[in-house]
Amino acid sequence: IEGPVWIQPGQADASVTVALGYGRAIPDQLADGLGYDAYPLRASATPWRLAEATLAKTGRRSPPVTTQDHGTMEGHDFVRVQAVGATTPVVAREALPSLYPPAPTSPGGRYGTERAWGMVIDLDACIGCNACVTACQSENNIPVVGKEEVALGRWLHWLRIDRYYEGGLDAPKTHFMPVPCMHCEQAPCEVGCPVEATVHDREGLNLMVYNRCVGTRACSSYCPYKVRRFNYLDYSGDTAPVQQQQRNPEVTVRARGVMEKCTYCVQRIAAGRIESTRGDHAPIPDGAVETACQGACPTRAITFGDLRDAGSRVAAAAADPRNYGLLAQLNTKPRTTYLARLVEEASVEGTPAKPGSAP
């Protein structure tokens, strides 16, 4: 078989990892004509290992198309680590000065009288499997844009998995970091939008009003997390009726020329809200609303719920000493936060080490 080679840190000497699933000549299927077909190398006796194989250069080049062009944090501390048993918070939780007016607070805490949806992602549990990305794509009618569009930076996934290496190139530690929309309480994207197409609702969700969006992409420029996507082309207008039936009817199919992003699966939140208004108008129970990424995660690394509910799992995770906000120094006050990875010992107990020092 012929295929491109992408040299990665940590690959064992004299070994090649081959991806399966592409290159099959099946008409009208996604894999038809894409990549290489590695199935002829598989033997029934040892389907996952080929002991005797040779590797030879063809002289041709094929640049890898990826959504992440770097593997180190270049001295930053996006992924933080903390020693097992440390009780000191991984980051100092101090209020930073702000030009925004103070948000309304409830008598007993930070949030107002409405629900306060939030998400906590445990980086110690994430294995980088991308199941959350696939579930998000299926749930929210996100189109597959193709290799050529991804190479131009026009990919549309609402959730990405950043991957960073730490240590030597022969045996580095690998850190995975899911990055959805942060649903910032002080969202820079809202300041940048000239038509108020991106707004907050009363429960703290940062949402898109697609009918208002005129496609300036200013919100993407203002977003420090780069989690907003723009529809450069009409990816859904000419799809076959049978493919249209695969879409989630609860989610708007976006048109060309609008921005889109993670909504915390607002359609599921709306369903939970409607259910709570029936009968005795009971509050939405903790765990009743589950985002697509949360439900698909095999290690349960994602926790979602009402931060205002002191007894909820997400509130407990937000109060954990390992909890921190990505780029929190920008004072965006993200509703999506992270739990630092656990290590046997850190540089100083309670102080996050800074991975990403590998060349």
Side-chain angles (χ1 to χ4, degrees):
I1 63 170
E2 288 189 8
V5 174
W6 193 4
I7 301 175
Q8 290 288 306
Q11 180 73 28
D13 292 339
S15 68
V16 177
T17 301
V18 180
L20 299 173
Y22 291 93
R24 291 170 290 170
I26 303 176
D28 300 325
Q29 294 293 319
L30 181 63
D32 184 25
L34 295 179
Y36 54 86
D37 183 5
Y39 283 100
L41 297 179
R42 302 187 74 191
S44 57
T46 56
W48 304 110
R49 182 174 180 270
L50 181 64
E52 297 180 3
T54 58
L55 187 68
K57 293 182 179 180
T58 64
R60 296 187 292 116
R61 300 184 68 85
S62 178
V65 175
T66 176
T67 58
Q68 186 177 5
D69 296 324
H70 57 281
T72 65
M73 286 181 269
E74 300 177 1
H76 297 284
D77 54 358
F78 305 140
V79 176
R80 303 193 180 196
V81 299
Q82 180 161 307
V84 176
T87 56
T88 306
V90 72
V91 61
R93 300 179 184 179
E94 55 186 27
L96 300 175
S98 174
L99 296 176
Y100 286 83
T105 58
S106 62
R110 166 182 173 185
Y111 304 105
T113 56
E114 301 290 345
R115 302 181 187 94
W117 299 107
M119 179 180 288
V120 177
I121 302 174
D122 189 350
L123 299 181
D124 194 57
C126 179
I127 58 175
C129 67
N130 280 264
C132 55
V133 177
T134 303
C136 177
Q137 182 179 25
S138 176
E139 171 75 16
N140 294 292
N141 300 327
I142 300 173
V144 176
V145 301
K147 178 179 178 180
E148 293 77 12
E149 293 297 303
V150 174
L152 295 173
R154 296 178 177 180
W155 50 294
L156 281 177
H157 288 307
W158 289 3
L159 170 64
R160 71 175 189 266
I161 307 294
D162 286 346
R163 179 258 305 121
Y164 301 106
Y165 296 116
E166 175 193 4
L169 296 178
D170 291 333
K173 296 180 180 178
T174 306
H175 303 284
F176 298 107
M177 188 177 205
V179 185
C181 176
M182 298 293 134
H183 288 268
C184 308
E185 294 178 18
Q186 298 179 353
C189 58
E190 296 180 5
V191 178
C193 182
V195 294
E196 295 188 357
T198 175
V199 293
H200 257 73
D201 73 356
R202 63 185 184 182
E203 295 181 352
L205 299 181
N206 177 256
L207 300 174
M208 281 296 304
V209 184
Y210 300 122
N211 288 343
R212 289 183 190 171
C213 182
V214 295
T216 65
R217 292 175 285 164
C219 57
S220 181
S221 299
Y222 276 62
C223 175
Y225 304 99
K226 301 308 171 191
V227 291
R228 291 178 158 266
R229 307 286 172 253
F230 183 70
N231 278 270
Y232 284 88
L233 301 173
D234 184 6
Y235 298 107
S236 56
D238 59 350
T239 53
V242 66
Q243 290 178 307
Q244 295 178 15
Q245 294 174 10
Q246 297 174 353
R247 295 172 180 162
N248 184 354
E250 303 294 331
V251 179
T252 301
V253 178
R254 282 75 61 189
R256 178 186 181 185
V258 299
M259 297 294 301
E260 57 183 72
K261 64 168 198 69
C262 161
T263 64
Y264 273 169
C265 290
V266 65
Q267 68 278 2
R268 297 189 176 193
I269 295 175
R273 190 185 298 124
I274 292 171
E275 187 66 27
S276 70
T277 60
R278 299 177 179 176
D280 55 359
H281 293 265
I284 300 177
D286 183 38
V289 178
E290 186 178 70
T291 62
C293 58
Q294 177 187 11
C297 181
T299 61
R300 310 303 294 173
I302 301 174
T303 305
F304 179 78
D306 184 4
L307 290 167
R308 189 171 175 268
D309 180 4
S312 66
R313 287 172 293 176
V314 71
D320 191 287
R322 291 194 289 142
N323 186 269
Y324 73 97
L326 180 62
L327 300 179
Q329 68 272 20
L330 300 180
N331 205 23
T332 57
K333 296 184 178 179
R335 284 281 181 89
T336 301
T337 55
Y338 296 89
L339 297 182
R341 288 200 64 177
L342 292 173
V343 294
E344 293 184 359
E345 57 180 59
S347 55
V348 180
E349 183 172 304
T351 302
K354 293 186 177 181
S357 58

